[in-house]
């Protein structure tokens, strides 16, 4: 059984940084396509970043240059380093694994169907002064 446990969310001031973690059990992260999504109150879920098994990444335009995805295969953990945070980054953040390649297009802004089989419970990020 695959389980994802996220951590690292919190409240920061604009311009601050946070690092989210997503610990995966039941499967190795090295073989998965993985993504981070977020959902703000009253808004639809949006893709933030996608990483394939070779480490190739796709970022949403809104976070390019500020967010960085990485994974530690030895720790079986996915990370999201978030710098220069803005109030509009406030949302619940979810990691997802076993995604198909359509998830990368969704991150890029396409409005299409996609699949991610396993999801974390979410971690709240609040950016406010």
């Amino acid at each position: 059984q695959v389980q994802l446990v996220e951590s690292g969310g919190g409240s920061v001031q604009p311009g601050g940084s946070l690092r989210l973690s997503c610990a995966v059990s039941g499967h190795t992260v090295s073989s998965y396509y993985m993504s981070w999504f977020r959902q703000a109150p009253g808004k639809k879920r949006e893709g933030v970043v996608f990483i394939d098994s070779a480490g190739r990444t796709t970022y949403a335009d809104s976070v390019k240059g500020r967010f960085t995805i990485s994974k530690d295969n030895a720790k079986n953990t996915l990370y999201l380093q978030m710098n220069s945070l803005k109030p509009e980054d406030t949302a619940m953040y979810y990691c997802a694994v076993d995604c198909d390649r359509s998830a990368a297009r969704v991150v890029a802004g396409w409005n299409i169907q996609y699949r991610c089989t396993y999801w974390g419970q979410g971690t709240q990020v609040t950016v406010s002064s």
Side-chain angles (χ1 to χ4, degrees):
Q1 183 178 359
V2 178
Q3 291 187 322
L4 286 66
V5 178
E6 294 144 344
S7 60
S11 295
V12 295
Q13 293 186 338
S17 298
L18 286 172
R19 188 176 81 153
L20 307 184
S21 300
C22 175
V24 180
S25 60
H27 211 291
T28 54
V29 298
S30 60
S31 59
Y32 272 141
Y33 293 178
M34 306 177 70
S35 298
W36 286 95
F37 287 81
R38 66 186 181 186
Q39 188 167 20
K43 294 188 176 181
K44 63 180 291 187
R45 185 170 57 196
E46 64 172 346
V48 176
V49 58
F50 171 91
I51 185 168
D52 71 11
S53 55
R56 291 179 291 252
T57 57
T58 302
Y59 289 88
D61 286 344
S62 59
V63 305
K64 279 181 183 175
R66 301 188 298 122
F67 290 12
T68 304
I69 191 171
S70 62
K71 54 181 178 177
D72 185 327
N73 293 335
K75 294 183 177 180
N76 225 33
T77 299
L78 182 72
Y79 300 99
L80 182 65
Q81 177 67 44
M82 306 185 296
N83 298 328
S84 301
L85 282 161
K86 304 176 180 180
E88 51 263 43
D89 295 319
T90 295
M92 186 72 80
Y93 284 71
Y94 300 90
C95 66
V97 304
D98 192 20
C99 301
D100 60 16
R101 278 213 170 268
S102 294
R105 296 188 178 93
V106 170
V107 166
W110 292 43
N111 185 19
I112 59 174
Q113 295 290 322
Y114 70 98
R115 173 192 56 79
C116 292
T117 305
Y118 305 103
W119 291 81
Q121 81 286 355
T123 186
Q124 178 68 38
V125 171
T126 302
V127 185
S128 174
S129 56

